Amino acid sequence: LVPNKIKSNKLNKNIERKMLNINAYSNLPLNSLCKKYKVKFYVYISTFRVKLLYKNFTKKNIKNNLNNLYMFSKIKAEKLLNNIISKKPNHKIIILRITSPYGYIMNTKAIIPNIIKKIKNKNKININGNGSRKQFLTFVEDIAKFCLQKFHENSSSRTYNFFNPEAPNVKTIIKNINKIFFNKEKFLINYKKNGDNSNILVEKFKNKNNNNFIFTSLKSGLKTINSKGYQYE
């Protein structure tokens, strides 16, 4: 996350060195530690754009641009790890290319929490273009589940392109966030006490007795939809 922390818009040798050290070369000592302590599974989070630029993006493409330097550092990291993979280390290396992450953590600049905070604080939301640009998103819990699955399957070293194929446009994202969190819409949640969706987050909503969320079985939920005059999601 080095680009998010740098307050300068211009590159210099110090920024370039820091970003390459953290985003790329840090994988070399980390890999050595893994081998030393016999870590069996190493997951590197990359970015999906690397797939498009991997073969022809070089240091010449940086051109005093932080985003380009960030991409170069990610490509450099993947090449370093692929070099390690080719030497067949004892532990497995998974390179995971994701798109914009979102999840429960709200103290980030990721698109979902950023929009929620802006709407909540009644701040202006600036949209580049007409809002039709689509935004691919990756939910952090899905990333964790995927990693655990690969670990249990004892998967071989490999690069995965991992993202949600359904990409809403920016206007849709803003509209849905506003509707869910701030417009007092009614939502039915299909809920079983010991079911798959009986997780901590659902329990928190349930215990708050929030009138916007009605926890119901599927059968009684359908009856509610048919009998009430207002719209449910």
Side-chain angles (χ1 to χ4, degrees):
L1 290 176
V2 176
N4 289 341
K5 307 299 179 187
I6 295 174
K7 295 181 180 179
S8 169
N9 292 323
K10 291 185 178 181
L11 288 179
N12 58 51
K13 289 295 179 184
N14 184 43
I15 290 173
E16 187 177 320
R17 186 177 66 254
K18 282 181 179 178
M19 194 178 294
L20 286 172
N21 282 346
I22 293 171
N23 286 347
Y25 296 120
S26 61
N27 287 282
L28 297 175
L30 283 171
N31 181 67
S32 297
L33 282 170
C34 286
K35 290 176 76 174
K36 181 179 178 180
Y37 293 103
K38 298 180 181 179
V39 173
K40 294 180 181 178
F41 208 76
Y42 184 92
V43 179
Y44 174 71
I45 302 294
S46 187
T47 182
F48 186 69
R49 282 183 62 214
V50 169
K51 175 181 171 64
L52 309 174
L53 303 171
Y54 189 85
K55 291 182 179 178
N56 55 13
F57 197 88
T58 66
K59 199 169 182 179
K60 292 179 182 178
N61 298 109
I62 293 172
K63 294 179 182 175
N64 205 30
N65 183 300
L66 275 173
N67 287 327
N68 283 357
L69 174 58
Y70 175 72
M71 286 307 305
F72 177 73
S73 70
K74 287 291 187 179
I75 292 168
K76 190 79 177 173
E78 284 201 21
K79 288 183 176 178
L80 286 169
L81 289 171
N82 279 316
N83 186 47
I84 294 170
I85 290 169
S86 68
K87 295 177 181 178
K88 297 182 179 179
N90 292 329
H91 62 280
K92 307 289 175 28
I93 297 177
I94 295 294
I95 298 173
L96 201 56
R97 294 172 179 164
I98 67 168
T99 53
S100 297
Y102 74 101
Y104 303 130
I105 299 172
M106 300 312 253
N107 59 339
T108 75
K109 291 184 179 178
I111 183 168
I112 300 290
N114 194 28
I115 292 173
I116 289 173
K117 283 184 281 191
K118 284 192 173 183
I119 294 174
K120 185 178 179 182
N121 297 328
K122 297 181 179 178
N123 294 336
K124 185 177 179 181
I125 299 174
N126 296 315
I127 301 174
N128 293 325
N130 60 7
S132 62
R133 181 179 68 84
K134 292 192 173 182
Q135 177 70 56
F136 285 95
L137 301 163
T138 309
F139 186 45
V140 290
E141 192 176 77
D142 290 336
I143 297 170
K145 285 179 181 177
F146 179 84
C147 292
L148 283 170
Q149 179 187 339
K150 294 303 164 190
F151 176 76
H152 290 305
E153 290 174 356
N154 197 24
S155 299
S156 57
S157 296
R158 205 183 139 186
T159 299
Y160 293 91
N161 300 307
F162 186 87
F163 64 96
N164 183 351
E166 296 180 11
N169 63 44
V170 177
K171 273 188 175 178
T172 301
I173 293 171
I174 295 170
K175 180 182 175 184
N176 286 340
I177 290 173
N178 196 39
K179 182 171 71 171
I180 292 169
F181 290 95
F182 304 104
N183 278 359
K184 304 299 182 185
E185 294 280 336
K186 301 282 186 178
F187 291 86
L188 289 174
I189 297 179
N190 182 16
Y191 178 77
K192 296 178 183 176
K193 192 169 185 180
N194 298 314
D196 293 337
N197 61 353
S198 177
N199 55 42
I200 295 170
L201 191 69
V202 171
E203 288 292 345
K204 280 183 179 177
F205 276 116
K206 195 167 189 290
N207 293 337
K208 282 184 178 178
N209 195 25
N210 189 325
N211 291 327
N212 293 0
F213 296 88
I214 297 178
F215 293 80
T216 173
S217 68
L218 182 60
K219 190 173 180 181
S220 61
L222 290 171
K223 283 184 179 178
T224 304
I225 290 171
N226 290 327
S227 62
K228 300 292 181 182
Y230 34 82
Q231 182 69 41
Y232 277 90
E233 292 280 345

